[in-house]
Amino acid sequence: MSGNEIYLKIKEYCRQTKVLASVESVLSWDQETYMPEDAINHRADQISMIAKLVHSRWISDDLRLLLEDCFDLNSGEIKLRGLSKHELRQLELLYLDWKKKKSLPNEFVANFSKTVAEATHVWQKAKNKSEFSFFEPYLVKLIELSRQKAGYIDAKKNVYDVLLDEYEPGLTTEKLQEILIPLKNECIQMLKKIHLSKFKPKRFNSNFNFSKQLAVSKDILEKMRFDFFKGRLDTSSHPFTIDIHPHDVRVTTRISDTNFFESITSTIHEGGHGLYEQGLSVENYGLGLAESVSLGIHESQSRFWENHVGKSFTFWDAYFPKLQTYFSTELKNVTSYDLFASVNEVSPGLIRVDADEISYCLHIIIRFECELALFNNIISTAQLRDHWKSLYKDYLGVVPKNDSEGILQDIHWATGAFGYFPTYVLGSIIAAQLFNKMTTDFNDFEGCVNSLDWKPINDWLNLNIFSYGRFFDTDDLVKQVTSRSINVDDLIVYLKSKYSALYNVEL
């Protein structure tokens, strides 16, 4: 066979594997939205079986024989000739993924997936009852399974670094601390100075109709150019986006009767993720150029839309007349600036997803430091609750009164996603860099936001982010787009500029 014929065989094999894996995504989406509560044991069996079948395809002799025609399987050197640079990059990424997958025993993958399905269900019950002790045995098991996973992948490497690499390839604890320590110090100082400000955003309390909030959410997604022929919007207790296929992207939002900011900000946030997934290549589905670069880049899309568009005064001023058509009574005697100031109120609290942009960074840093303490055996899961409370008191000046608003508020650990949280901060950092570059490239970025025609923004992101897939690594992609490596400077400047003006303080 020619090199092109071999490449096409591999491409089709990977497409079929991805199709099978997407079944698990649908099952996970259903579990978080519509699944009957008593179906959890059967759902865990389903997810475990699909995960095992997918992994079997990754470690099969069929794939190994195809790869042998392409690579020296020991060195990874590509033997095929006559391929384009994009096809060569696809093969390089496939080899890296295959090496990692084949290091994991099939039974381990099935067991891990089943444990996650069970753990997420128990976590929801524990959160509802605000009782960490219900969930702790599962947390212990997931930490141990994650240690095993890291050992299978690279026994010589620091466990937490292996876990970080799952979500942000190439990231290490050392690199992360170089970014997070100065950011932590800056954020703590900003909060102290803002606390002294006499300005207090106007607060208002009303009951906001569920159906109207959902209609607003759909309208905003349409303005972002989310394609409802290739996606849908639902509600869940914890907003998320599921990537099934670029033509099937499911996003959820959270709706509160008394705070319509929750639905708007979570919809815009998840919409950013959804646009990324819809913008990925259909032609290369199953291969690296049809996948997101990393979770840091993925999060940069949601943080860009949420913070730099959705929390701007330009957006609230432009969208205010539309909001008044839905909530004329609820927004009586309220101005667009009132809404802008309120949605950007800096008020250190307990809940990550409700946090202002400055406090949010500290919420993530707390989770990172908790994970680091767990995996470095500095604390046990029995000590985790107190450690969490201590960090919240030191960094944000607040202490959880119960487990639901404390250690149980996030689903991530129940999914075994250790090393995931730091990507949220990276997302905010990269989003600030992209925002700076975009405002340079646009003749009038604020005018674009004000027009409520956001197609040019989505087009820019499609060209500069979505279209590349994993062709570049994270830092290389950021350099490709902004001409600078990942750095925290743009985020700090942005935060100081925005909140100095809002609170009339020198940050």
Side-chain angles (χ1 to χ4, degrees):
M1 286 189 292
S2 67
N4 186 60
E5 288 173 327
I6 295 170
Y7 176 80
L8 290 176
K9 277 185 171 290
I10 287 179
K11 184 178 180 181
E12 176 58 19
Y13 186 95
C14 292
R15 188 194 69 81
Q16 292 178 12
T17 302
K18 185 68 172 179
V19 168
L20 182 60
S22 71
V23 174
E24 183 178 348
S25 296
V26 177
L27 291 171
S28 296
W29 168 81
D30 176 69
Q31 181 178 331
E32 296 300 321
T33 51
Y34 298 113
M35 186 191 79
E37 182 175 348
D38 287 350
I40 182 59
N41 291 331
H42 181 61
R43 180 53 46 86
D45 285 341
Q46 289 175 313
I47 289 176
S48 176
M49 181 173 289
I50 293 293
K52 189 172 182 178
L53 289 171
V54 171
H55 192 66
S56 294
R57 287 184 62 84
W58 273 102
I59 63 175
S60 71
D61 289 339
D62 290 341
L63 179 58
R64 181 181 57 78
L65 290 172
L66 284 171
L67 294 178
E68 279 183 346
D69 291 332
C70 297
F71 303 99
D72 178 321
L73 294 185
N74 292 318
S75 67
E77 181 182 352
I78 298 175
K79 297 188 290 188
L80 297 184
R81 297 293 178 264
L83 299 180
S84 69
K85 66 178 182 179
H86 286 89
E87 290 169 337
L88 290 171
R89 179 58 174 158
Q90 300 262 45
L91 292 180
E92 289 173 1
L93 293 168
L94 176 60
Y95 178 75
L96 293 174
D97 293 343
W98 173 74
K99 279 195 70 177
K100 186 176 288 187
K101 299 282 189 185
K102 77 180 184 68
S103 69
L104 300 175
N106 214 1
E107 289 302 321
F108 171 83
V109 171
N111 184 33
F112 192 93
S113 296
K114 185 173 183 178
T115 302
V116 164
E118 294 169 345
T120 52
H121 194 67
V122 172
W123 164 81
Q124 187 64 65
K125 287 187 172 183
K127 183 180 180 182
N128 291 342
K129 293 183 178 294
S130 193
E131 185 51 71
F132 176 62
S133 63
F134 292 173
F135 174 65
E136 187 187 356
Y138 287 87
L139 181 60
V140 171
K141 189 172 183 179
L142 286 166
I143 289 172
E144 179 54 35
L145 287 171
S146 296
R147 289 185 186 279
Q148 290 178 29
K149 182 178 181 180
Y152 286 131
I153 293 171
D154 191 342
K156 297 178 182 178
K157 196 173 179 180
N158 175 275
V159 169
Y160 194 68
D161 283 353
V162 175
L163 299 178
L164 283 174
D165 192 77
E166 286 284 286
Y167 305 105
E168 197 61 49
L171 186 64
T172 64
T173 304
E174 183 180 2
K175 289 179 183 177
L176 196 50
Q177 287 177 319
E178 288 175 3
I179 295 171
L180 296 189
I181 290 174
L183 179 61
K184 177 174 71 174
N185 294 336
E186 288 280 6
C187 287
I188 289 173
Q189 290 306 310
M190 280 189 266
L191 290 181
K192 288 179 179 179
K193 292 176 181 178
I194 289 172
H195 181 69
L196 299 175
S197 171
K198 295 180 180 179
F199 173 74
K200 301 297 178 187
K202 182 177 181 178
R203 294 188 176 185
F204 54 97
N205 294 309
S206 292
N207 288 319
F208 293 87
N209 178 269
F210 180 97
S211 297
K212 289 181 180 180
Q213 288 192 67
L214 195 59
V216 168
S217 293
K218 289 181 177 178
D219 182 63
I220 290 174
L221 283 179
E222 286 173 352
K223 287 176 168 48
M224 292 172 68
R225 289 302 193 269
F226 182 82
D227 189 341
F228 278 97
F229 288 101
K230 299 175 182 176
R232 60 176 291 128
L233 172 68
D234 293 278
T235 60
S236 63
S237 61
H238 189 103
F240 65 91
T241 299
I242 287 282
D243 54 327
I244 298 167
H245 183 275
H247 290 174
D248 187 358
V249 178
R250 317 286 178 95
V251 301
T252 69
T253 190
R254 184 179 63 244
I255 293 180
S256 165
D257 291 340
T258 57
N259 182 2
F260 80 129
F261 289 131
E262 284 191 22
S263 61
I264 291 176
T265 56
S266 63
T267 296
I268 295 176
H269 181 99
E270 296 305 328
H273 286 304
L275 290 177
Y276 194 176
E277 292 299 327
Q278 289 187 342
L280 292 172
S281 170
V282 174
E283 167 65 23
N284 292 301
Y285 183 68
L287 291 171
L289 297 194
E291 296 174 340
S292 61
V293 185
S294 67
L295 283 185
I297 292 293
H298 224 309
E299 192 64 19
S300 75
Q301 302 308 291
S302 57
R303 299 301 282 176
F304 164 78
W305 279 104
E306 180 186 359
N307 296 333
H308 298 280
V309 177
K311 288 187 176 180
S312 68
F313 173 69
T314 305
F315 163 71
W316 286 99
D317 195 45
Y319 201 67
F320 187 57
K322 185 65 174 279
L323 286 173
Q324 287 180 309
T325 66
Y326 283 100
F327 306 111
S328 57
T329 302
E330 295 86 348
L331 298 181
K332 187 178 181 180
N333 300 321
V334 176
T335 69
S336 59
Y337 190 84
D338 290 335
L339 294 179
F340 162 71
S342 185
V343 79
N344 285 288
E345 181 180 6
V346 176
S347 180
L350 295 165
I351 308 302
R352 173 183 65 85
V353 295
D354 295 337
D356 59 84
E357 293 178 76
I358 300 172
S359 300
Y360 188 87
C361 297
L362 296 173
H363 282 272
I364 299 305
I365 290 169
I366 286 169
R367 286 153 176 78
F368 162 64
E369 292 184 358
C370 283
E371 290 184 346
L372 207 56
L374 284 169
F375 282 92
N376 286 341
N377 294 314
I378 295 172
I379 62 170
S380 65
T381 55
Q383 298 168 308
L384 182 58
R385 179 197 279 134
D386 289 340
H387 189 65
W388 177 286
K389 288 182 178 180
S390 175
L391 293 178
Y392 263 84
K393 182 178 181 181
D394 291 346
Y395 298 171
L396 290 164
V398 293
V399 179
K401 295 184 180 66
N402 57 61
D403 292 341
S404 290
E405 64 182 19
I407 198 169
L408 287 174
Q409 68 178 270
D410 295 305
I411 195 174
H412 300 63
W413 289 342
T415 67
F418 303 102
Y420 187 121
F421 278 120
T423 65
Y424 285 137
V425 174
L426 285 180
S428 294
I429 291 168
I430 296 168
Q433 293 183 253
L434 295 178
F435 171 67
N436 277 356
K437 175 60 176 171
M438 195 180 296
T439 52
T440 300
D441 288 355
F442 279 54
N443 290 328
D444 184 8
F445 180 80
E446 284 197 8
C448 179
V449 175
N450 183 67
S451 72
L452 299 179
D453 176 10
W454 298 337
K455 184 177 184 299
I457 298 175
N458 193 37
D459 287 346
W460 189 95
L461 293 169
N462 216 324
L463 176 66
N464 290 284
I465 304 294
F466 311 161
S467 63
Y468 287 114
R470 287 168 63 195
F471 186 83
F472 295 107
D473 292 333
T474 301
D475 196 54
D476 288 337
L477 179 61
V478 173
K479 281 191 282 189
Q480 167 77 12
V481 179
T482 70
S483 302
R484 298 181 67 194
S485 292
I486 296 172
N487 70 89
V488 76
D489 298 343
D490 287 353
L491 176 60
I492 292 173
V493 169
Y494 158 75
L495 292 173
K496 286 185 175 182
S497 174
K498 179 176 182 176
Y499 290 99
S500 290
L502 182 59
Y503 278 89
N504 194 28
V505 291
E506 184 65 38
L507 298 178

